[in-house]
Amino acid sequence: MALFSYHQHSSEMFLGFIIFLVFKGVLGATFTFVNKCDYTIWPGILGKPDLGSTGFELKKGASRSFQAPAGWSGRFWARTDCKFDDSGHGTCGTGDCGSGSIDCNGLGANPPATLAEFTLGSGSQDYYDVSLVDGYNLPMMVEANGGSGTCASTGCVADLNRRCPSELKVDGGDACNSACRAFGTPEYCCNGAFGSPSTCKPSTYSQMFKSACPKSYSYAYDDATSTFTCTGADYTVTFCPSSSPSLKSLMGSGSDSGSSVEQAALATSSWLANLATGDSIRIQPCAAALFVALNLILSLLVYL
């Protein structure tokens, strides 16, 4: 009798687990947005079907959640320096969607803007990434909660506005363009004769982005190290996530070592940017390799 009771209980638990998975696949995922920036932001949403909002205000320290159905596909980003009147009409300094209102109404972000992109599976894997292909306006982190599979966190926590080359920087320094947007040439935009993975390779600019944010998309064909999967998870999208403990201890030690390392990294990045546009002085190939290696080492020291 006790053995029968045990097997009955186990069967009920297994059945409950299967029902949970089925309903989880139907329900999709909950997206929670958290603002850790020192200022108000206005997240934008572009995707189908509609989640009930296409844009909203999120004050410093606030959070807000939305339920997305299975099969939902779309993107999120933050708009900054927005000025809206009492009727909700206005514009934003970065990430503006051009709708003239708080709601984006089916319009995407005007580059440059850091993007979080999702495709939710229907009882199968979700795909997600953080993309800098359209440039960067603020740090962003995506974390998967309660799912199965790899479910790795991804994002860009580095302040790329501070290390943005002058030729990519927007007026005011509040965002950093991609090389495609800045120059518009096929080799940077991965179109025309450069419209395939075999012909469009990482540029010096995309490599700078990648060294600072190794898990983010740095150019159009950066799939291998930038796309992540998870099954049955909910997701937290954090704007301006807190710095890592190692970076906090480095910059808060009271010495000048942290600032010296960062200044050296910025200087090396500027040299690489000049090299890409042909403005740098001529140097031997071995010296160029040394500079690239130094840039990667310094980026790891500052941002990891």
Side-chain angles (χ1 to χ4, degrees):
M1 187 68 178
L3 182 62
F4 172 77
S5 177
Y6 170 78
H7 283 299
Q8 183 180 32
H9 180 66
S10 298
S11 299
E12 289 173 352
M13 289 181 63
F14 179 74
L15 179 60
F17 178 69
I18 295 298
I19 292 174
F20 169 78
L21 291 180
V22 170
F23 276 96
K24 183 62 179 175
V26 172
L27 291 175
T30 298
F31 291 111
T32 300
F33 302 94
V34 180
N35 180 14
K36 291 190 176 181
C37 302
D38 292 330
Y39 45 84
T40 299
I41 59 173
W42 288 260
I45 302 175
L46 175 65
K48 291 187 178 299
D50 193 337
L51 300 186
S53 174
T54 56
F56 57 97
E57 180 183 72
L58 195 64
K59 294 185 180 298
K60 173 185 175 181
S63 63
R64 184 171 176 180
S65 296
F66 294 88
Q67 182 67 42
W72 186 86
S73 181
R75 55 179 51 180
F76 310 114
W77 69 96
R79 294 169 288 172
T80 67
D81 193 26
C82 300
K83 303 292 188 297
F84 293 111
D85 60 24
D86 293 339
S87 61
H89 293 94
T91 59
C92 300
T94 73
D96 191 73
C97 52
S99 66
S101 67
I102 293 179
D103 281 307
C104 286
N105 299 320
L107 298 174
N110 182 35
T114 314
L115 304 175
E117 302 174 314
F118 289 86
T119 297
L120 301 183
S122 298
S124 58
Q125 288 185 140
D126 302 334
Y127 292 85
Y128 58 99
D129 66 81
V130 170
S131 174
L132 308 178
V133 174
D134 287 340
Y136 168 101
N137 66 336
L138 52 67
M140 179 190 291
M141 176 68 72
V142 170
E143 298 172 282
N145 308 301
S148 60
T150 306
C151 302
S153 298
T154 184
C156 180
V157 301
D159 185 357
L160 295 184
N161 291 333
R162 292 187 61 189
R163 62 184 312 187
C164 183
S166 58
E167 60 270 31
L168 301 187
K169 189 170 293 187
V170 301
D171 293 342
D174 294 329
C176 188
N177 279 312
S178 66
C180 173
R181 180 168 173 80
F183 308 122
T185 55
E187 61 267 33
Y188 288 127
C189 296
C190 293
N191 56 28
F194 296 86
S196 71
S198 62
T199 57
C200 193
K201 301 299 182 181
S203 69
T204 303
Y205 293 105
S206 68
Q207 289 174 337
M208 288 171 55
F209 281 14
K210 195 67 175 178
S211 68
C213 300
K215 291 186 174 183
S216 296
Y217 262 91
S218 60
Y219 79 111
Y221 294 113
D222 191 15
D223 303 83
T225 59
S226 308
T227 301
F228 298 87
T229 60
C230 192
T231 302
D234 295 319
Y235 298 93
T236 301
V237 179
T238 304
F239 303 101
C240 306
S242 300
S243 300
S244 66
S246 59
L247 180 59
K248 283 183 177 179
S249 61
L250 175 66
M251 302 304 290
S253 62
S255 68
D256 294 331
S257 60
S259 59
S260 298
V261 171
E262 184 167 350
Q263 288 168 6
L266 291 170
T268 308
S269 297
S270 298
W271 177 87
L272 285 169
N274 290 334
L275 179 64
T277 55
D279 295 333
S280 63
I281 60 173
R282 292 183 179 272
I283 60 173
Q284 297 300 319
C286 60
L290 177 61
F291 271 104
V292 172
L294 179 61
N295 180 59
L296 293 174
I297 294 170
L298 292 171
S299 298
L300 290 172
L301 287 173
V302 176
Y303 295 106
L304 296 182

